Amino acid sequence: MSAVLPKPAALMRDALTNARSIALPTLPGLLLFAAAMGGQSWFNRLAADGSSFMLLWMCVSLVTIFVGCFWSADMYRKLMPDSGVRTVFVDAGRLFLASLAVYGLYFIVGFLLTLFFSIFAGILIGTAGYDPSENAGSTEAVWESIRALSNSGGAVLLYILLFVAAAGLVWLGLRLFLFGAATVGERRLTIFRSWSWTSGHVSRIALLWVVLQLAPWIVLTLLASGFLHLMGVDTIFSFTTAGQAPSGDVALPAGLYAGLTSAGTLIMAPFYWLGHGLAVTLYNQLAPNRVDPDATFG
């Protein structure tokens, strides 16, 4: 039998309380994650030319994900003191493996969707009577293809399908939203175990997600983008203000670029706190099994 969720307002208050309670105690993990993000961006700059730094950058990327999982596990353990194992590194390792599995799932789904839309858009463009091979590789070919789609009405169908695909990806994310909290709370690698818990609650979870995740992400992303743009890093503001492709951050030293990336990560911190606060709130309401307090850190 599916659990009964309280009203969204009560869940929202609980999630906000959770987020506030972990902001300061998990600050060291945040600083470590920000440093890891900066390091990744530094290696990304070095590997941009396809040099031998590429393999090292891939390793640094995995380390960055693990550091993020370490910070995440610390937040979950502080919000669920009766959960977790004796050391945070074990919880972080499990969360790391679970995250890689979910990222891999999204990569496969994203790849298949990209392949489908590439083929489908090509068919629509061909039906519209335009042959992009005439200007292959040029920017003009892209714009002519868009004009051909718009004139034929195929763009409307394409946009509808893109919206449906995006909604499907969000739905999948909402159904898997509790995998992190469940992995720490259940003390074992958990990916799809929480799938059934969210059944029948997607609409309410979606409302909470929009208010506590999507809206803060948009606001914080704009703030971070504006700050980075003012510091010379190419962001969305670089397109809107200059009206052309960005090229400013190429001149920035790799070290400064890494520092600015770390600063941008710090600006996004409330988004992560709110996400973990919401996940634990929903986990406490929907998980059918609770860890025995007498077996804490067992």
Side-chain angles (χ1 to χ4, degrees):
M1 181 177 178
S2 179
V4 178
L5 279 177
K7 293 182 178 180
L11 294 171
M12 198 174 303
R13 285 194 299 269
D14 191 20
L16 290 171
T17 300
N18 286 339
R20 286 194 298 266
S21 69
I22 58 175
L24 289 179
T26 62
L27 191 58
L30 168 61
L31 296 176
L32 186 62
F33 179 60
M37 289 293 291
Q40 183 190 30
S41 67
W42 185 70
F43 279 101
N44 183 45
R45 176 63 65 85
L46 295 178
D49 59 354
S51 66
S52 57
F53 284 99
M54 181 61 70
L55 179 60
L56 186 57
W57 172 80
M58 294 177 63
C59 295
V60 171
S61 298
L62 290 176
V63 171
T64 302
I65 295 175
F66 180 83
V67 172
C69 291
F70 178 87
W71 179 37
S72 180
D74 187 38
M75 287 188 278
Y76 283 132
R77 286 162 64 94
K78 284 181 169 56
L79 289 172
M80 300 183 293
D82 293 335
S83 302
V85 293
R86 191 172 300 276
T87 172
V88 66
F89 285 100
V90 176
D91 287 322
R94 289 174 178 166
L95 203 52
F96 174 73
L97 295 176
S99 298
L100 288 182
V102 173
Y103 296 159
L105 173 63
Y106 264 89
F107 175 80
I108 294 173
V109 174
F111 173 79
L112 293 176
L113 286 175
T114 302
L115 183 62
F116 166 77
F117 280 109
S118 298
I119 297 174
F120 187 67
I123 294 174
L124 290 178
I125 293 171
T127 304
Y130 175 70
D131 184 7
S133 63
E134 296 177 358
N135 300 304
S138 66
T139 305
E140 185 63 24
V142 177
W143 290 111
E144 287 297 332
S145 298
I146 294 175
R147 292 191 192 97
L149 281 175
S150 300
N151 293 334
S152 67
V156 175
L157 177 59
L158 188 62
Y159 291 150
I160 292 175
L161 291 178
L162 284 171
F163 176 80
V164 172
L169 291 175
V170 171
W171 176 84
L172 177 62
L174 293 176
R175 294 300 304 270
L176 296 175
F177 190 68
L178 302 182
F179 85 90
T183 293
V184 176
E186 304 289 313
R187 298 177 181 170
R188 56 179 170 175
L189 185 64
T190 302
I191 301 173
F192 290 104
R193 177 172 164 77
S194 61
W195 182 272
S196 60
W197 304 348
T198 57
S199 177
H201 304 294
V202 175
S203 59
R204 186 164 296 188
I205 295 175
L207 174 61
L208 295 169
W209 177 79
V210 168
V211 175
L212 296 177
Q213 286 289 267
L214 182 60
W217 179 81
I218 294 175
V219 173
L220 293 171
T221 297
L222 290 175
L223 288 175
S225 296
F227 166 75
L228 293 175
H229 172 71
L230 291 176
M231 298 303 294
V233 178
D234 292 328
T235 65
I236 186 64
F237 287 90
S238 304
F239 287 94
T240 57
T241 59
Q244 58 186 6
S247 60
D249 67 8
V250 175
L252 289 176
L256 177 59
Y257 186 78
L260 293 174
T261 301
S262 296
T265 302
L266 294 176
I267 294 176
M268 295 296 297
F271 166 77
Y272 297 105
W273 289 327
L274 287 169
H276 285 73
L278 177 59
V280 170
T281 294
L282 294 173
Y283 172 78
N284 289 334
Q285 294 291 333
L286 298 176
N289 299 318
R290 298 292 185 272
V291 174
D292 184 0
D294 296 330
T296 300
F297 301 124

